[in-house]
Amino acid sequence: MKVKKFTGKDMAEVMEKIRADLGQNAVILNSKQVEAGGFLGFFTKKNMEVTAAIDPEISTSRPFKRPAAKPAPVTGKKSDTDAQTLSISREIEELKSMVEKIKLPAENYPPQLEEYNQLFIDQEVEDFYRLKIMKKLLEKWYRHEGDNKTREQLDKWVSEELLSLLPEEGFGSFKYEKKYLNVVGPTGVGKTTTLAKMAAKAVLKDNKKVAFITTDTFRIAAIEQLKTYAKILDVPLEVAYSANDFNKALKHFKDYDLILVDSAGRNFRNSLYVDQLNKIIDFNKEMETHLVLAMTSKYRDMKKILEQFQLIAVDKLIFSKLDETDTLGALINIMADCQTGASYLTTGQNVPDDIEEAVPERVIERLLRR
């Protein structure tokens, strides 16, 4: 463990010295203002003094070669060997203690930044992404030391770092570039209601000729629910029990602008679910597939769902039930993990309302205002 003190006129200058000497993996142990120079106690200048440390074994920025261990002298006495073993054990324990002590100050942030750190924790932003953002914010903070950092300025910095985690494209509503829009996802996430909202927009706002196909033959209630929406919107509905039925429905609706496909919802832990979808639905180049994830689900469950749907090319995500939770961190985590954009956010059961286009800036604004 290498520990060293650095001084400079401000924190930015000290940080540059630490990076140059110890590398990017250095950890700040302590910082304080000290007075330097002057004459007889007058005309002194305030400098920053920072104590930093680095473990050469884990540093990636400054390669470290461990010196060859010197062989212990052979004395023939067991007591000498025991003493050496005890000494080595003490040194290891001291190093462990030092490592444990330097872990805590690594997350000490200025009060204004600590507010954002706590927000990320409360919103359940994954630690890997949270610490990555906070590191960038801390660098900007000391780079602009002495500047007036308003809430608007800090929000701008945070938004920039959150945006850098998300995919650069793939956001926004369905653009009718393809004829078939398939909505998939586990049971209970609100697929059918979301599909009805999308159909209402296509019919009422975009004046499109729309039709429904449902492959959800496992729940009678699901078919009846979609029939109700189809009747209200005055659009036809076909039920596909097999791949043959599905292909017949496609031919029947060949003159329509948009065919919305409602797939069966199943337990996402059932690996046969995606295989069954592949047997019924023809995932061709004319089809766009959106995966619905409920914000009431756990982040680790969302990751499992994504794993199950790897056999299907998911073009975009839809996040439902935003009105039923106070935490939005999983939304950021998932999109950062899979680098797939989102098309819609749903915020209730009302059709055709309670749905909005997913825009990265709005998503981030929602998280910051929680």
Side-chain angles (χ1 to χ4, degrees):
M1 184 70 63
K2 181 179 181 181
V3 181
K4 189 174 181 180
K5 288 185 178 180
F6 298 84
T7 57
K9 63 180 181 180
D10 54 32
M11 196 64 178
E13 181 180 316
V14 177
M15 292 294 286
E16 288 298 325
K17 290 181 179 180
I18 293 172
R19 290 193 195 95
D21 195 324
L22 302 182
Q24 295 289 344
N25 291 325
V27 177
I28 296 175
L29 301 180
N30 185 40
S31 63
K32 62 181 179 180
Q33 280 193 334
V34 295
E35 293 184 348
F39 179 72
L40 296 178
F42 296 99
F43 310 111
T44 58
K45 293 182 181 180
K46 289 186 177 181
N47 284 352
M48 287 297 300
E49 180 183 277
V50 176
T51 304
I54 186 68
D55 185 349
E57 291 185 39
I58 63 173
S59 175
T60 58
S61 57
R62 294 176 62 86
F64 176 80
K65 294 184 179 179
R66 181 185 295 276
K70 295 181 180 179
V74 179
T75 62
K77 295 181 180 179
K78 184 176 183 299
S79 58
D80 290 345
T81 304
D82 290 343
Q84 289 175 354
T85 303
L86 181 61
S87 176
I88 293 172
S89 297
R90 285 176 179 171
E91 288 182 12
I92 292 173
E93 289 303 318
E94 288 177 3
L95 284 173
K96 285 182 179 179
S97 177
M98 290 179 68
V99 169
E100 289 300 319
K101 287 178 181 178
I102 68 173
K103 281 181 181 177
L104 294 175
E107 287 193 44
N108 283 346
Y109 304 110
Q112 294 94 323
L113 294 187
E114 178 56 34
E115 290 182 24
Y116 291 98
N117 184 50
Q118 191 58 52
L119 173 67
F120 295 146
I121 294 173
D122 294 341
Q123 289 295 308
E124 299 180 4
V125 174
E126 186 71 2
D127 283 348
F128 174 78
Y129 298 123
R130 175 178 62 86
L131 295 174
K132 185 176 181 179
I133 293 170
M134 294 308 300
K135 180 182 177 182
K136 294 290 185 180
L137 292 178
L138 199 60
E139 289 176 357
K140 289 182 178 180
W141 178 273
Y142 288 123
R143 196 180 305 137
H144 294 270
E145 190 172 20
D147 295 350
N148 181 26
K149 304 177 186 70
T150 63
R151 171 65 64 178
E152 290 75 15
Q153 178 64 59
L154 294 177
D155 278 355
K156 183 174 180 292
W157 288 354
V158 173
S159 297
E160 289 172 351
E161 296 308 324
L162 284 168
L163 276 173
S164 70
L165 298 177
L166 303 181
E168 295 181 359
E169 54 187 21
F171 286 90
S173 59
F174 184 70
K175 304 300 183 185
Y176 306 103
E177 295 173 350
K178 296 185 179 181
K179 189 171 184 176
Y180 310 106
L181 175 56
N182 181 34
V183 177
V184 299
T187 183
V189 295
K191 293 189 305 299
T192 304
T193 305
T194 300
L195 206 71
K197 294 173 183 178
M198 297 164 72
K201 177 183 179 297
V203 172
L204 303 176
K205 293 184 179 180
D206 301 331
N207 297 315
K208 298 295 183 180
K209 190 177 180 182
V210 177
F212 283 130
I213 299 177
T214 179
T215 64
D216 191 354
T217 59
F218 299 95
R219 295 183 303 127
I220 296 175
I223 296 177
E224 293 303 317
Q225 182 185 16
L226 196 58
K227 280 183 179 179
T228 301
Y229 289 135
K231 185 176 180 180
I232 293 171
L233 295 171
D234 193 25
V235 300
L237 166 66
E238 291 284 347
V239 181
Y241 294 91
S242 64
N244 189 42
D245 291 339
F246 187 80
N247 289 326
K248 284 181 180 179
L250 294 184
K251 291 178 182 178
H252 183 67
F253 295 139
K254 65 179 181 179
D255 295 327
Y256 282 72
D257 300 317
L258 173 64
I259 293 92
L260 294 164
V261 182
D262 187 18
S263 62
R266 291 292 191 86
N267 186 334
F268 67 86
R269 292 183 179 87
N270 186 351
S271 58
L272 296 176
Y273 173 38
V274 176
D275 291 336
Q276 291 170 345
L277 284 178
N278 272 320
K279 290 177 182 178
I280 297 176
I281 299 173
D282 182 16
F283 291 91
N284 57 41
K285 62 182 180 180
E286 286 296 319
M287 180 173 286
E288 188 168 301
T289 300
H290 294 205
L291 172 62
V292 183
L293 298 171
M295 288 304 299
T296 51
S297 303
K298 297 176 182 177
Y299 167 50
R300 65 183 181 186
D301 287 341
M302 290 186 185
K303 291 199 293 184
K304 287 288 184 183
I305 293 168
L306 284 169
E307 289 176 11
Q308 291 285 35
F309 282 89
Q310 283 181 346
L311 295 176
I312 295 176
V314 174
D315 298 291
K316 291 184 180 182
L317 303 174
I318 296 175
F319 293 96
S320 65
K321 302 188 179 185
L322 269 73
D323 57 310
E324 297 182 26
T325 181
D326 289 327
T327 58
L328 297 179
L331 190 152
I332 299 293
N333 299 337
I334 287 295
M335 288 194 289
D337 285 346
C338 65
Q339 286 299 296
T340 301
S343 55
Y344 298 100
L345 309 175
T346 72
T347 56
Q349 295 294 314
N350 295 322
V351 179
D353 304 319
D354 296 344
I355 187 169
E356 62 182 70
E357 184 178 7
V359 178
E361 290 78 9
R362 290 183 198 164
V363 170
I364 291 170
E365 185 178 356
R366 273 181 173 273
L367 186 143
L368 292 180
R369 295 294 171 260
R370 286 282 168 144

